[in-house]
Amino acid sequence: MRSLAGFRSLAELTTLTLFIACLTNALSLSWPSISARDLRKRANTTTIPAPIVVSPSQYWDGNDGPWSSFALQVGTPVQNVRTLISTASEFTWTIGAAGCPTNYVPDCVNSRGFVFNPNQSLTWVPNSIFSFELEDNLGKDTTGPVGFDTLTLGWQGAGGPNVKHSTIFNIADSQYWMGQFGLNPRSTNFTNLNDPQPSFLTQLKNNNSIPSLSYGYTAGNQYRLNKVFGSLTLGGYDQNRFAATNVSFPFYEDISRDLLVYLRGVTSGSTNLLPSGTISIFIDSTVPWIYLPLDACQAFEKAFGLTYDPNVNFYLLNSTQRTNLQNSNPSVTFSISPNQTATTEMVEIVMPFAAFDLQIDFPYIENPNSSYYFPLQRATNDTQYTLGRAFLQEAYLIADYERQNFTVAPCTWDANAVNKADIKTIISPSTKLNSGGGNISVGAIVGIVIAIVAIIAILGVLLWWLRRRKQGEKRRLAELEAKHGPDAKDSQDSEGKPMISHPIGGELAGAEVHELTAPHKPFAQELDSPHKLDPNLVGYSEADGGEYFGPGKGFAHEAPGSQSHIYEMPGSEVQEMPASERVHENK
Ligand SMILES: *[C@@H]1O[C@H](CO)[C@@H](O)[C@H](O)[C@H]1NC(C)=O
Ligand SMILES: *[C@@H]1O[C@H](CO)[C@@H](O)[C@H](O)[C@H]1NC(C)=O
Ligand SMILES: *[C@@H]1O[C@H](CO)[C@@H](O)[C@H](O)[C@H]1NC(C)=O
Ligand SMILES: *[C@@H]1O[C@H](CO)[C@@H](O)[C@H](O)[C@H]1NC(C)=O
Ligand SMILES: *[C@@H]1O[C@H](CO)[C@@H](O)[C@H](O)[C@H]1NC(C)=O
Ligand SMILES: *[C@@H]1O[C@H](CO)[C@@H](O)[C@H](O)[C@H]1NC(C)=O
Ligand SMILES: *[C@@H]1O[C@H](CO)[C@@H](O)[C@H](O)[C@H]1NC(C)=O
Ligand SMILES: *[C@@H]1O[C@H](CO)[C@@H](O)[C@H](O)[C@H]1NC(C)=O
Ligand SMILES: *[C@@H]1O[C@H](CO)[C@@H](O)[C@H](O)[C@H]1NC(C)=O
């Protein structure tokens, strides 16, 4: 009877053990699948490249500036040219040899940032003669032979980014005195080619040289801190060049006018310089000028004593006017907003007179070949309203072509900050799969926690059961002892406890539990890293903090050249832009 009872307990215990084993097995079944997924992710792990900081040429160029230019290496063997930055253009243009006829100023070649001779490049692939289809609204479209060639940003040896098949126009006229590097990531369409030609930025993104289709740019100027060069970052921005705002602008639906903002007011002191109220205006570094409606220009004339020269169509400043303005040193505040009426989202860009104190040269004016001028232009219709390069002397522009939004923030002029870039990465939203990976991992963690809780519960039940059994035994032994004497206890001991309690307890506390916790730990560590790089949780996307690009809230400082590892989403990387196409037609 007694031995039978012992046998039954043993059977029960075996059943329980089996049950536990089954349960843990069932729970652990999910692990191979998790780690398989994890491995898959690992197999597709890609390196997120750091943003590229493009060094300025350290030259001041242009016949309507001066402007901080950027060096380009074109063709094979390399020909060096200096160009300005075009936020509107999706291609690059250079000045051809015919751009310096004999009747031009003597230092024409240097003044135009040097010429590019396609016929001296072994890698030049000619296409045909096309018009730019750029700045049509300003009457500044032009035409030239176009082709494809190797293009590297920066001076030789600077290790700048390189694209093998970049679209390059080569112009001879003076519509644009300098060549320009196109920042816009749209592709260029030619009527004689079926395929849209990818932009420089797109090609960098496609071969994983930059983290996203985005840039940060400000034009620089000569009047702050003993001259500050322009700043261009691809795939990120320089946090040290601007003051954080909490305003972000959506791209305008017409992709050729994506950087459109509402100009809500222009003031100088208490003077209203935008009398007829809010206009929508295009931010565009291709042209230097600020185009405003006629009544606004007249308000400027009145406030600053400007005179429009109808022969050259500029507000030229003679020395008296300039000295007066330098003495009174008025500043002009541009209030821009993504909103036509609401007063909450407003960015104010304050331009001191020095920002308007520019020089216009040959061939805009001749004899004399140079004059000071105020870079204001009378718009003939509302498509001409433009905040040109002069505006970007005091504003920092961040454009994110994948999220389809941009930021315009006032520049800051702290000498220490300006001299030391603080580059932030803009991570492509398609890198978001991490959060998906994170979700899976959270699920796995929950599973593991449940498993551990279950094991602990089972252990508890087991211990309780063993203790109860032991107590029952003791009682029985006491009874036995009372009946048969002390020897009966020994037989019970050798038969029961050592055999039962030890192996089972050992198995649970040892092997099984360790097996459970082991995968859990590395998993939790792995979770950390994708979260750190998740643009939704930290860094670039700071919607939760309410401040875009707020100090101390950015992505951990990333030195140029440093790289972080991250899982990349398979497939569609580049967000497709809305339809409306422009096609270059032969002329
Ligand atoms: C302006 O340019 C023309 C054409 O090169 C030249 O003949 C003339 O001397 C220049 N004038 C001045 C003031 O530089
Ligand atoms: C190359 O172009 C330059 C400038 O257009 C021209 O003077 C020269 O004749 C051309 N050379 C050849 C071999 O076509
Ligand atoms: C605006 O003016 C420019 C220059 O005069 C002209 O080329 C363009 O067609 C005009 N646009 C509209 C919509 O009237
Ligand atoms: C991208 O392409 C350029 C040449 O076009 C090459 O030098 C560079 O190594 C490529 N980068 C990657 C990450 O493939
Ligand atoms: C942005 O900041 C300004 C003050 O700096 C505040 O008045 C405004 O309400 C803020 N807007 C939003 C949308 O947080
Ligand atoms: C400068 O221009 C103003 C306004 O047109 C004019 O009144 C003044 O006489 C000019 N001064 C000189 C020195 O040309
Ligand atoms: C674009 O929008 C995201 C999310 O709203 C925001 O975090 C980011 O700062 C914006 N980017 C720019 C350049 O304004
Ligand atoms: C890696 O991603 C590519 C798509 O980018 C996908 O086709 C491939 O199956 C993935 N590899 C693994 C091992 O999942
Ligand atoms: C060229 O065509 C592509 C696709 O058809 C389009 O996405 C792109 O915006 C076009 N480029 C321009 C400059 O319109």
Side-chain angles (χ1 to χ4, degrees), residues 135-140 379-384:
E135 315 295 354
D136 260 333
N137 57 321
L138 301 178
K140 280 186 73 73
T380 55
N381 57 46
D382 60 6
T383 66
Q384 294 200 326

Side-chain angles (χ1 to χ4, degrees), residues 305-307 317-321:
L306 306 177
T307 40
L317 295 176
N318 65 27
S319 56
T320 322
Q321 287 169 304

Side-chain angles (χ1 to χ4, degrees), residues 167-280:
T167 306
I168 300 168
F169 277 81
N170 197 245
I171 65 166
D173 66 21
S174 60
Q175 188 66 270
Y176 298 96
W177 190 246
M178 299 287 295
Q180 296 202 16
F181 172 76
L183 265 185
N184 197 295
R186 278 181 293 149
S187 38
T188 310
N189 303 301
F190 296 104
T191 47
N192 63 347
L193 298 176
N194 286 329
D195 297 332
Q197 303 300 310
S199 71
F200 192 92
L201 212 62
T202 303
Q203 293 191 57
L204 287 188
K205 175 67 175 72
N206 285 352
N207 91 347
N208 202 39
S209 294
I210 52 172
S212 61
L213 284 177
S214 61
Y215 63 79
Y217 171 68
T218 186
N221 62 64
Q222 290 199 337
Y223 56 85
R224 297 276 192 185
L225 304 173
N226 193 25
K227 298 182 184 179
V228 179
F229 290 122
S231 165
L232 175 63
T233 306
L234 309 180
Y237 55 93
D238 184 350
Q239 176 76 74
N240 273 357
R241 292 297 286 261
F242 65 96
T245 71
N246 54 8
V247 182
S248 177
F249 298 76
F251 276 174
Y252 183 58
E253 58 195 22
D254 175 355
I255 55 167
S256 67
R257 295 177 67 74
D258 44 16
L259 306 178
L260 199 74
V261 301
Y262 286 109
L263 182 59
R264 300 285 297 275
V266 182
T267 54
S268 181
S270 58
T271 312
N272 180 6
L273 299 173
L274 193 65
S276 45
T278 301
I279 56 173
S280 56

